[in-house]
Amino acid sequence: MYDANHLISRLHSASKGHETRNFATFPARASVTFGELFAGAERNAAALVALGVQPGDRVAVQVEKTIEAIQLYLGTVMAGGVFLPLNTAYTVPEVAYFLGDATPRVVVCDPARLEDIQAISGAARVVTLDAKGLGTLTDSVVGRGGFTPVPRGPDDLAAILYTSGTTGRSKGAMLSHGNLASNSLTLRDYWQFTSADVLIHALPIFHTHGLFVATNVALFAGVRVVFLSGFNADQILEAMPQATALMGVPTFYTRLLQDPRLTPERAANMRLFISGSAPLLVDTHEQWQARTGHRILERYGMTETNMSTSNPYEGERRAGTVGFPLPGVEARIVDQGHEVARGETGVLEVRGANVFRGYWQMPEKTAEELQADGWFITGDLARQDAEGYITIVGRQKDLVITGGFNVYPKEVESLIDDLPGVLESAVIGVPHPDFGEAVVAIVVASEPQNISADKIAEALSDQLAKFKQPKRIELVAELPRNTMGKVQKKALREEYADLFA
Ligand code: AMP
């Protein structure tokens, strides 16, 4: 039954007429049609209700990426539940925090973890789902019939996604049916996705990027997805000649660039390469264009806001920027309570139907970041150029304050990255007895024989004010990154904490 407010009803209704078309194809298993996807989702919904799930109940899920896991997501929301996906890398003690905080009715985990999870799951029912889509959940799904989505309003919760939590405890971002539906429809139209598209889906599905941006947009547009369990250059390159779009994190692009099979011919059928979740280096953008003839479209968002800005589909995609606020999204850059002038840096705030409902059971934290008039303080530092293109300068908490002066890491990183022989860099602040914090640059060389700390220091000496120049430059083999390709500055700050002790 069609319910205009219900996310899954809307996704389902968008797929009408596509029932016998493939939704997902895989390198090594039979494809799944749109009809089969939703029939499976209905069976999951029925199974979850049989397990006791009531509207508003959380269903916590830590499983490998499978189409059954997508059906579990759809089924949970169909049943009126709140989908709570967890990074497969989380350890059992980490999962214990999330289960304690979110008190789910049902937990779905890998069979290998069943005993450990049962020990920490409190009153929740625990069922299993493995990397092949099998387990006790699947057993209880088999044989169930159709399911009518439990009515939900646009403000009702569809999901809670815990933020990666680089400071303090991880917070559960509450996302409503309205948040998710409005953002996916905006993206579908802005990026011009239609049922003629074939999207390479290699992102994890415990994160907003792979779960909502990629999956919901594909479902709303009737797109077929090449469903890969993770990043695999062979599989992506093999799929590319028949595909039209790829959504990736910047590391997808840097890794694919290392492969000689990436050629204009291989990318000839593609119409769109999208990057987000971490900054794409200007260099990567330029190399990609030189190698494939395509300009990567970079967009920006976060768990709490879904997607907020994007480079244009038509018009100039400006490297090093995340483009303009999406239709229906307002953005402003604020410093000390005032909007800054173009070209100046401040904290980016956004408002719109995309912005979440607050942090789960953290009213104070919510009030600090989500203001009463709807403006959400992203915590990202940004500036806007004369034409309105927004550049993300980094997280506010990564700002270095040395001797009372502010240093924006990105300014120093960009200069270092531009030097010949440098691949990339991360600039951090570490404790310093005189300056409070000292600027430190961690650098990865592309040509180690041609670059050294002294050469970098010399090159920066007449380009940056003295207080911005790194007090130490460390050359390393690679930067620590999480699964979404984000450089882990917190880990670097910890590693180099004693540099000036
Ligand atoms: P998450 O909630 O895990 O999606 O992380 C959101 C954060 O990733 C944002 O607050 C930004 O700091 C960062 N981010 C996402 N997209 C971009 C982008 N295109 N450029 C720079 N940073 C980004």
Side-chain angles (χ1 to χ4, degrees):
M1 212 207 307
Y2 183 67
D3 170 353
N5 287 323
H6 197 295
L7 171 70
I8 308 303
S9 298
R10 295 176 74 174
L11 292 173
H12 197 177
S13 138
S15 78
K16 287 276 172 324
H18 299 301
E19 286 84 353
T20 57
R21 287 182 53 234
N22 283 334
F23 165 65
T25 53
F26 310 85
R29 63 174 272 188
S31 21
V32 170
T33 64
F34 281 88
E36 287 162 348
L37 179 80
F38 282 99
E42 290 178 4
R43 289 195 296 272
N44 267 276
L48 290 170
V49 170
L51 284 166
V53 171
Q54 309 251 339
D57 280 348
R58 279 76 57 210
V59 175
V61 174
Q62 189 189 36
V63 297
E64 293 299 328
K65 180 180 176 182
T66 59
I67 201 71
E68 287 75 13
I70 296 284
Q71 289 173 322
L72 173 59
Y73 150 58
L74 298 171
T76 300
V77 184
M78 240 178 214
V82 179
F83 190 66
L84 195 172
L86 293 169
N87 191 326
T88 42
Y90 286 147
T91 61
V92 173
E94 284 168 323
V95 173
Y97 164 72
F98 297 114
L99 301 189
D101 192 51
T103 56
R105 176 80 58 185
V106 171
V107 182
V108 187
C109 69
D110 196 274
R113 281 207 159 171
L114 179 60
E115 280 181 19
D116 288 342
I117 298 292
Q118 263 166 342
I120 56 167
S121 57
R125 300 282 296 271
V126 186
V127 289
T128 63
L129 185 66
D130 70 11
K132 293 202 171 95
L134 300 172
T136 55
L137 174 71
T138 321
D139 300 344
S140 69
V141 162
V142 169
R144 294 196 185 267
F147 188 91
T148 304
V150 172
R152 299 267 80 189
D155 290 341
D156 284 323
L157 297 191
I160 294 178
L161 262 60
Y162 279 83
T163 59
S164 6
T166 37
T167 48
R169 296 222 113 170
S170 185
K171 301 171 291 227
M174 301 190 285
L175 296 155
S176 68
H177 284 247
N179 292 150
L180 300 179
S182 67
N183 202 240
S184 324
L185 287 167
T186 300
L187 296 175
R188 177 194 66 182
D189 296 343
Y190 202 70
W191 295 337
Q192 302 191 10
F193 274 96
T194 70
S195 57
D197 277 304
V198 178
L199 172 70
I200 302 175
H201 192 315
L203 292 159
I205 54 168
F206 49 72
H207 186 268
T208 181
H209 197 170
L211 184 63
F212 300 138
V213 183
T215 308
N216 287 350
V217 168
L219 286 169
F220 266 131
V223 167
R224 169 162 80 83
V225 297
V226 179
F227 200 77
L228 305 178
S229 57
F231 177 88
N232 176 314
D234 290 343
Q235 290 175 338
I236 291 179
L237 289 165
E238 196 171 307
M240 210 177 268
Q242 286 81 43
T244 64
L246 173 69
M247 288 184 192
V249 295
T251 30
F252 279 25
Y253 295 101
T254 50
R255 288 192 204 162
L256 288 169
L257 278 168
Q258 288 161 18
D259 198 302
R261 290 170 296 176
L262 182 73
T263 59
E265 295 70 39
R266 193 172 282 273
N269 198 50
M270 295 289 287
R271 71 170 182 90
L272 187 55
F273 292 96
I274 301 177
S275 177
S277 290
L280 184 78
L281 296 175
V282 172
D283 191 44
T284 311
H285 194 282
E286 287 168 356
Q287 279 190 48
W288 193 267
Q289 185 173 15
R291 281 282 290 285
T292 67
H294 291 275
R295 287 179 76 78
I296 297 173
L297 184 154
E298 185 170 7
R299 95 297 179 278
Y300 156 85
M302 61 196 297
T303 304
E304 290 92 328
T305 63
N306 298 282
M307 298 307 107
S308 292
T309 78
S310 171
N311 268 279
Y313 183 76
E314 321 260 20
E316 190 199 344
R317 298 178 193 162
R318 201 165 279 186
T321 82
V322 295
F324 307 110
L326 284 161
V329 179
E330 294 173 88
R332 66 182 186 193
I333 299 174
V334 174
D335 186 34
Q336 324 272 0
H338 298 287
E339 242 180 276
V340 302
R342 289 264 162 111
E344 282 175 23
T345 301
V347 176
L348 180 64
E349 300 187 358
V350 297
R351 179 163 76 171
N354 55 313
V355 174
F356 76 147
R357 315 288 309 161
Y359 294 112
W360 173 254
Q361 287 182 334
M362 288 188 177
E364 280 136 39
K365 207 68 210 146
T366 302
E368 272 169 33
E369 290 171 31
L370 182 55
Q371 300 164 86
D373 57 2
W375 284 100
F376 174 68
I377 305 169
T378 64
D380 285 314
L381 292 166
R383 62 167 188 273
Q384 217 166 358
D385 70 14
E387 284 78 41
Y389 285 85
I390 294 172
T391 289
I392 304 296
V393 182
R395 297 290 295 163
Q396 191 176 23
K397 62 181 187 311
D398 292 333
L399 179 77
V400 186
I401 305 178
T402 178
F405 293 110
N406 286 0
V407 179
Y408 297 109
K410 174 96 175 225
E411 185 187 356
V412 185
E413 289 162 3
S414 303
L415 289 172
I416 298 177
D417 294 351
D418 281 346
L419 297 174
V422 170
L423 180 66
E424 59 174 353
S425 61
V427 165
I428 53 170
V430 305
H432 188 283
D434 268 353
F435 297 100
E437 278 188 310
V439 176
V440 170
I442 317 296
V443 180
V444 181
S446 53
E447 301 155 24
Q449 65 284 7
N450 291 331
I451 197 83
S452 65
D454 287 347
K455 276 191 188 164
I456 297 170
E458 198 193 317
L460 296 179
S461 62
D462 57 358
Q463 296 201 61
L464 282 177
K466 185 86 183 149
F467 71 93
K468 296 183 190 170
Q469 292 172 23
K471 298 218 162 31
R472 191 73 76 83
I473 297 169
E474 300 276 328
L475 286 154
V476 298
E478 60 177 16
L479 298 175
R481 286 194 148 81
N482 72 4
T483 28
M484 298 310 291
K486 282 192 234 293
V487 174
Q488 300 302 85
K489 288 200 166 174
K490 185 177 166 228
L492 286 174
R493 281 194 289 264
E494 282 166 9
E495 188 178 343
Y496 294 100
D498 298 331
L499 220 48
F500 301 98

